Amino acid sequence: MPRKRLSVATVLLRGLLGFLGTQLAVVIGLVAVNQWRKRVRPRRADFPRTPPKTVPVGASEFTVYTYGEDLYRDMLEAIRGARHRIMFESFIVKGDATGRRFKRALIEAADRGVEVYFLYDSFANLVVPRKFFRFPPGIHVLAYPLLRPGILLLDIRKSGRAHRKILTVDGEVGFVGGYNVGSVYATQWRDTHLRLAGPAVWELENAFRDFWNMLCGEDQPRIADTGTPEWSPAIRAHRNVPELLIYPIRGMYLEAIDRAREHIYITQAYFIPDKEILHALIDAARRGVDVRILMPETSNHVVADWISRGFYGELLRGGVKLCLYQNAMVHAKTATIDGRWSTIGTANVDRLSLTGNYEINIEVFDPDLAAHLERVFAKDSTNARRLTPQEWAGRPLVAKLCESLLMPLRPLL
């Protein structure tokens, strides 16, 4: 019998399925190897860290934290001292000993008459028992839904996760940054968080208020809008709001990078830049700016690591210095430029954060804060190794093939 000729569509379909199958095999292999490495080479908890430092910025005070235990101590102290209102939002709240301490502190605050609002992301906490998020009636709890109506119709306004981490107390003190709440983050992750005291706290309160009021139903109280008595040109809170297709954090980074003349120090957990940010960094390096990016050599998301590796060659050829953090997860989302400009927040330099999730970053124009963040970067660099162009060019062929296979996944992350 004569063989049936395959149509072009059939050949293309089989080729696509074969490519997707190969991609899936690579992902499964990477995850399996990563799990094995975690068992035989657990992360250290003795990475270098910088003590909390308080810097005045205008009429406010900013304190920078680089170690979870220090941060959680001061967050819990603020909650326990609350007199009027607490607004607390976190992407992840583990149901472990640390999470239970925060839960007890919130309940105790409500018991003494404090108005308590708590917001968390349902998807990020799928592994946490549901009963952990059951609070007494006096506490207003809102879970960002697993799926919002409209997402199945591909409405991008309903996409994204509630990736922010905010705590405000009485409008007098507030916290924002990369730290989620959990015991593993207290000692085993290197992250950066910011404490605000003074008029700048309004920036965080307003961000929480707007998000809460957008999401709350008829069974939840709305939070009254107050406006602010003070405008500070040195401090700006940038919020990504997918519901309104507003993504200012990406623009903030691009504008700051374009202004750089001396140095750019960026610390990121997952570095998967889009074309514009990638080219802006390379352009800065080529005009003589000292551009350094510090990121974990091995993060908690191995697939993100390998997708990020696909950018290393172009960055190194463009003169960007890559510093790979060793034996611990660095989860910070910070940058400082020319000793003048800094940002600390919740957004990673990847698609999910810059054009997907609800995020918040504080932008600060202050030389003292920038100087401190430069010292933090220098301290972190003592636990990082520089990746050279020669080393990268000599990596195994199988690694190059895996990177190429994973390149099409960049838009997903």
Side-chain angles (χ1 to χ4, degrees), residues 26 30 306 397-407:
V26 169
L30 291 175
W306 277 78
L397 177 61
V398 66
K400 297 177 182 179
L401 290 174
C402 289
E403 293 157 17
S404 297
L405 283 167
L406 295 176
M407 282 178 60

Side-chain angles (χ1 to χ4, degrees), residues 23-339:
Q23 268 190 332
L24 180 61
V26 169
V27 169
I28 292 173
L30 291 175
V31 171
V33 170
N34 188 57
Q35 291 300 317
W36 173 78
R37 284 178 175 170
K38 286 180 179 178
R39 288 196 298 270
V40 300
R41 287 187 294 183
R43 296 187 187 274
R44 300 196 322 254
D46 59 346
F47 50 85
R49 54 185 185 265
T50 307
K53 171 75 172 180
T54 300
V55 176
V57 180
S60 299
E61 287 187 339
F62 285 15
T63 303
V64 178
Y65 297 87
T66 65
Y67 192 57
E69 284 193 338
D70 295 334
L71 170 68
Y72 295 157
R73 178 197 63 231
D74 287 359
M75 289 177 72
L76 287 167
E77 180 181 343
I79 292 171
R80 290 166 182 152
R83 305 182 308 278
H84 307 297
R85 182 165 66 189
I86 295 170
M87 301 176 179
F88 179 44
E89 175 183 347
S90 188
F91 182 57
I92 296 173
V93 182
K94 297 285 190 184
D96 57 19
T98 297
R100 291 193 296 271
R101 283 201 297 273
F102 274 81
K103 182 175 181 177
R104 284 196 301 270
L106 293 174
I107 293 172
E108 290 167 359
D111 287 344
R112 63 177 182 267
V114 177
E115 194 174 9
V116 178
Y117 297 85
F118 173 41
L119 194 158
Y120 69 95
D121 186 276
S122 296
F123 176 79
N125 293 281
L126 281 175
V127 298
V128 179
R130 293 300 90 194
K131 64 180 181 181
F132 177 77
F133 294 105
R134 294 182 193 137
F135 283 77
I139 296 180
H140 309 298
V141 180
L142 199 160
Y144 185 84
L146 193 63
L147 291 173
R148 296 187 66 200
I151 188 61
L152 298 179
L153 298 177
L154 303 181
D155 182 353
I156 61 173
R157 294 175 184 266
K158 308 301 180 183
S159 65
R161 306 309 314 171
H163 191 244
R164 312 185 319 172
K165 299 93 179 173
I166 295 173
L167 170 66
T168 71
V169 176
D170 295 340
E172 298 172 357
V173 61
F175 298 81
V176 65
Y179 274 101
N180 293 293
V181 174
S183 297
V184 65
Y185 313 124
T187 58
Q188 297 181 40
W189 285 34
R190 207 343 245 124
D191 211 330
T192 302
H193 224 78
L194 190 64
R195 177 184 184 270
L196 287 65
V201 177
W202 180 88
E203 302 281 352
L204 301 182
E205 278 209 322
N206 191 54
F208 184 97
R209 176 188 299 112
D210 288 349
F211 196 34
W212 179 278
N213 288 345
M214 184 189 79
L215 293 173
C216 72
E218 295 181 357
D219 59 334
Q220 292 280 12
R222 292 180 62 84
I223 305 174
D225 197 352
T226 61
T228 176
E230 177 171 319
W231 294 39
S232 173
I235 304 164
R236 295 191 291 184
H238 295 285
R239 293 178 276 157
N240 284 356
V241 187
E243 180 76 21
L244 302 177
L245 300 181
I246 293 175
Y247 303 103
I249 297 174
R250 178 176 177 273
M252 174 198 73
Y253 267 107
L254 284 168
E255 183 176 346
I257 292 167
D258 284 347
R259 291 175 179 270
R261 293 173 59 88
E262 299 170 7
H263 57 260
I264 299 172
Y265 301 152
I266 297 175
T267 301
Q268 282 289 310
Y270 320 106
F271 186 72
I272 307 175
D274 60 33
K275 180 176 64 176
E276 287 76 20
I277 290 180
L278 178 70
H279 291 168
L281 290 168
I282 291 173
D283 288 347
R286 287 176 174 164
R287 67 176 180 263
V289 178
D290 180 11
V291 182
R292 305 187 186 199
I293 301 168
L294 188 147
M295 59 190 128
E297 179 151 24
T298 304
S299 80
N300 62 320
H301 291 304
V302 65
V303 176
D305 291 345
W306 277 78
I307 293 175
S308 179
R309 287 163 62 101
F311 294 97
Y312 288 4
E314 189 172 357
L315 287 163
L316 290 168
R317 288 191 299 272
V320 175
K321 302 177 180 70
L322 302 182
C323 309
L324 304 181
Y325 202 72
Q326 300 295 294
N327 303 314
M329 174 59 190
V330 58
H331 190 251
K333 302 94 167 56
T334 65
T336 187
I337 295 179
D338 289 354

